[in-house]
Amino acid sequence: MQHDFETVVSRRNCGSLKWELMLQNNPNAAETAVPLSVADMELKNPPEIIEGLKDYLDTHILGYTAPTPAYYDAVCAWMKRRHKWDIKPEEIILTAGVVPALFTAVLAYTEPGDGVITMPPVYGPFGFSIKQNNRVNVECPLLNDNEYYTIDFDYFETLCAKPENKMFILCSPHNPAGRVWSRDELARIGEICARHNVLVVSDEIHFDLIMPGHTHTVFPLACKAPLPNYIVCTAPSKTFNLATLQTSNIIIPDEGLRKKFQAVLDMVDINAAAAIGMEACRLGYTRCDAWLDEVLQLIWNNYQLCSRFIDENCPGITYSRLEGTYLMWINCAIFGLDDDALHALLYRHDLYCNDGRFFSSGGERHIRINLAGPTKMLEDAMQRFKAAYAEALSHEHNG
């Protein structure tokens, strides 16, 4: 590999959210412990972005800054090159992240009391954006076959047919289950939503992070006419580990939908165009294809390492098949513990993972671990997981 994916960088005292959460849970966490929770990478940012930002700071003034033609060209070219998706600059609205975009969409396209459909277990802020805005989170649980998740299309259509359900938030690729929805699955979603006039908000923040043997299809490219109303939420943040720069590109081809979305942003006068974030995005989309390709291989190697280790050392543990994202979804029911006791045990072994309950119904007694880091980080974590597994089963056997 041409880039440094081996150095484990301590982020203590840097304000890193997941590191601070780890230390809140255990102030005495081992110096070698690395949290595997929040979905940002434990990898240095692409040097092409860092060096480019240094040049930018040497030559620019950080005053009020709007997206430039070069910025829009980079975003459109990336979508065409990596996703075979032709978009136009005028279809792009910048926001300070995909989560703010979800909240904006709920406010723009639904009214208090309306139903918004989700497919749990799914990323927690989907539900937050609905409930905190006085809408109803209408759950269409995914079907779980030994941690391989599929869509219950019959029930989904039943929910879409109810006139009070106005919107569906799609997670594609799916977080935390790691599914990359097939073109046929996406087309069927599109057909159902078009038939019942349900707007689709497709969160595709992980769409650059696809494992070997799988292909991501941007939602509208899978749909057959007539297309449903839709918007697609994208960002460079997961791809290049740029979450703190809060720059996302929300693609809204329909002018009417775009105006409604912008009107909500205008209500609170949110100007999401941050100069450093936009430049980092432009640099990533123009200079970092090779870096990303190497990262994808690293994530796949780390997944294979973890899956083999679990199979060989932790019988009875099941986990998701990684098709996309850099997140591994693990069922720990065999530990015989409730969620609080499960995480207390993991903390004692310096394992800090996402609690499955964060992902709504179906997440109980699951954990989500982050595979985007140096391989040594995962090797060490798996040894600690093995020790926690042994302790749990020993207690169960003795009890």
Side-chain angles (χ1 to χ4, degrees), residues 19-221:
W19 285 70
E20 293 300 320
L21 289 172
M22 175 182 74
L23 294 172
Q24 288 175 22
N25 285 315
N26 182 9
N28 299 313
E31 286 294 324
T32 56
V34 177
L36 305 179
S37 53
V38 176
D40 61 29
M41 298 179 180
E42 292 298 326
L43 298 170
K44 296 179 180 179
N45 293 104
E48 296 85 350
I49 291 179
I50 299 303
E51 294 305 315
L53 288 178
K54 290 176 181 177
D55 293 341
Y56 183 86
L57 291 170
D58 284 339
T59 56
H60 287 68
I61 292 172
L62 299 179
Y64 295 111
T65 305
T68 63
Y71 177 84
Y72 287 120
D73 287 346
V75 174
C76 293
W78 181 266
M79 301 303 171
K80 177 68 173 177
R81 186 168 72 252
R82 303 289 299 205
H83 297 286
K84 300 180 175 60
W85 188 24
D86 287 307
I87 63 170
K88 302 179 179 65
E90 61 267 24
E91 297 172 347
I92 303 170
I93 293 181
L94 273 70
T95 68
V98 167
V99 171
L102 298 179
F103 277 74
T104 302
V106 167
L107 289 168
Y109 305 128
T110 66
E111 299 294 334
D114 284 348
V116 180
I117 301 169
T118 61
M119 291 181 175
V122 73
Y123 184 52
F126 282 25
F128 305 158
S129 71
I130 298 164
K131 295 176 184 177
Q132 290 171 209
N133 286 306
N134 299 313
R135 277 66 170 171
V136 180
N137 184 8
V138 179
E139 294 190 341
C140 179
L142 294 174
L143 302 174
N144 180 1
D145 180 8
N146 197 33
E147 301 310 311
Y148 185 76
Y149 290 81
T150 55
I151 297 168
D152 185 342
F153 281 106
D154 290 340
Y155 189 48
F156 181 61
E157 178 139 28
T158 296
L159 295 178
C160 287
K162 294 182 178 181
E164 66 269 24
N165 296 332
K166 300 297 199 306
M167 178 190 293
F168 165 51
I169 306 180
L170 169 66
C171 195
S172 179
H174 192 275
N175 170 18
R179 277 297 317 277
V180 172
W181 305 117
S182 70
R183 181 178 286 267
D184 287 345
E185 287 171 313
L186 294 170
R188 192 167 177 187
I189 289 171
E191 290 167 3
I192 292 170
C193 290
R195 186 156 51 244
H196 299 290
N197 197 29
V198 172
L199 182 142
V200 178
V201 176
S202 187
D203 173 1
E204 306 197 16
I205 195 170
H206 291 277
F207 72 159
D208 292 318
L209 300 161
I210 307 302
M211 296 299 102
H214 298 277
T215 301
H216 175 83
T217 304
V218 177
F219 174 71
L221 297 185

Side-chain angles (χ1 to χ4, degrees), residues 4 30 52 64 127 163 224 248 277 343 350 353 387 389:
D4 177 12
Y64 295 111
K224 303 171 184 176
S248 295
H343 284 275
D350 275 328
C353 313
Y389 169 90

Side-chain angles (χ1 to χ4, degrees), residues 276-293:
I276 299 298
M278 288 188 293
E279 180 62 8
C281 178
R282 188 192 69 79
L283 290 164
Y285 283 171
T286 55
R287 301 185 186 181
C288 294
D289 288 72
W291 183 91
L292 174 59
D293 292 339

Side-chain angles (χ1 to χ4, degrees), residues 9-12 16-23 29-30 32-38 40-42 350-354 368-372 377 381 384:
V9 178
S10 174
R11 296 164 71 188
R12 291 175 185 246
S16 166
L17 177 61
K18 63 181 171 182
W19 285 70
E20 293 300 320
L21 289 172
M22 175 182 74
L23 294 172
T32 56
V34 177
L36 305 179
S37 53
V38 176
D40 61 29
M41 298 179 180
E42 292 298 326
D350 275 328
L351 271 169
Y352 306 92
C353 313
N354 280 114
R368 191 194 74 174
I369 67 171
N370 188 330
L371 300 169
M377 177 188 85
R384 296 197 296 274

